[in-house]
Amino acid sequence: MSKTCAICGKKVGWFINTQLFDGVLCENCASKLGIQDKFHSDIVTVKTAKKAFNDHKTIDLKKLMVEQKKSRKEAKETENANYQKQKQQFLKDGSFKYGKLYLDDKAQKILFDKSLLEPFAFYDYSDFTGYKKILIPGTREKHHGIARGITGGIIAGPAGAVVGAVTGGKQYSVVNQLSLELYFKNKDSREIKFLTSSTKTDSFIYRNIYKSFNEVAQKLDEVLKSNQKKSPVQSKPNNQPDKLDSADEIRKFKKLADDGIITQAEFEAKKSNYLACKNKHCPTN
């Protein structure tokens, strides 16, 4: 299999080439740039290679590595400065906070603070689309000195479902995991973990954690309601059926007439109503 040299367009073999960051060079072009058979040639972009070639210059890989390292460091420092500035604004606004989650009603922004495993992330309230409550329960019961364990998982969602230590009328004595998974417009998601180990539901620790769980869920509901108010869904009057469903509705009433549940006159009236709506002449009553 062959590739094409990014400068001269000559076909080069799969193994006989100089690898760039986003392309390859033939032996001749790489030699003119002074990077043939050199390690770290893959830090050179096609754009950089073309510019050096057109300027009849060679590429100093060592110097380029130093420059790129410096550039990455400066970008990281700028990113960190912007992060600190925005985080301070969250604190100044008295944001709602739980763990690494900040909700700033004043700025209408969400912050997931950085941790050892995850980077920080900022979102606008308008980017937030919903959440799911996750509870993985278990029971431990003793009968005549014989212990038995039952474990299972309950995932409730989207937002609004009530899930707790008591679900479906069954009392769970242990909860193994309790978390909220948040969803955003860019298909991103973040998880807020409240419990990650087996905890008795009648313990003081669980009651406090479950209280926080509900408080965060309630706050997220408020954000979702705020988003809905900003972009309300226009509802149709009840006497104006959806034009896309008109044919199905007419068939439904036709069957009712055929079965003798409604009269033919009633069917004709319903049919006229749906056809009028289809032609944008819906009756007012």
Side-chain angles (χ1 to χ4, degrees), residues 6-7 15-27 29-31 33-50 59-65 68:
I7 292 178
F15 296 105
I16 308 174
N17 64 68
T18 297
Q19 186 68 44
L20 301 181
F21 178 77
D22 50 356
V24 295
L25 295 178
C26 67
E27 286 187 272
C29 292
S31 178
L33 292 174
I35 59 175
Q36 183 185 11
D37 300 325
K38 294 285 185 68
F39 288 110
H40 305 300
S41 64
D42 57 354
I43 69 170
V44 181
T45 64
V46 169
K47 182 179 179 180
T48 299
K50 284 184 175 180
I59 295 176
D60 186 336
L61 288 178
K62 186 175 181 180
K63 180 181 178 181
L64 184 61
M65 289 175 66
Q68 289 188 354

Side-chain angles (χ1 to χ4, degrees), residues 89-106:
Q89 189 61 49
F90 274 81
L91 297 174
K92 182 179 178 181
D93 291 345
S95 304
F96 175 91
K97 181 182 182 300
Y98 179 82
K100 299 294 182 180
L101 172 70
Y102 292 79
L103 299 172
D104 187 343
D105 288 339
K106 185 176 180 180

Side-chain angles (χ1 to χ4, degrees), residues 67-133:
E67 290 175 349
Q68 289 188 354
K69 184 177 180 180
K70 180 181 178 182
S71 179
R72 287 194 296 269
K73 181 180 178 182
E74 290 174 349
K76 190 70 177 177
E77 289 174 349
T78 300
E79 181 185 60
N80 188 59
N82 289 335
Y83 155 72
Q84 292 292 347
K85 182 179 179 180
Q86 291 190 65
K87 182 179 177 180
Q88 286 302 316
Q89 189 61 49
F90 274 81
L91 297 174
K92 182 179 178 181
D93 291 345
S95 304
F96 175 91
K97 181 182 182 300
Y98 179 82
K100 299 294 182 180
L101 172 70
Y102 292 79
L103 299 172
D104 187 343
D105 288 339
K106 185 176 180 180
Q108 298 282 287
K109 288 185 177 294
I110 298 172
L111 164 63
F112 282 93
D113 210 351
K114 59 184 177 181
S115 64
L116 291 175
L117 300 177
E118 288 189 289
F120 66 86
F122 290 99
Y123 301 94
D124 291 329
Y125 271 13
S126 58
D127 294 330
F128 178 51
T129 59
Y131 68 91
K132 178 169 62 181
K133 296 180 177 181

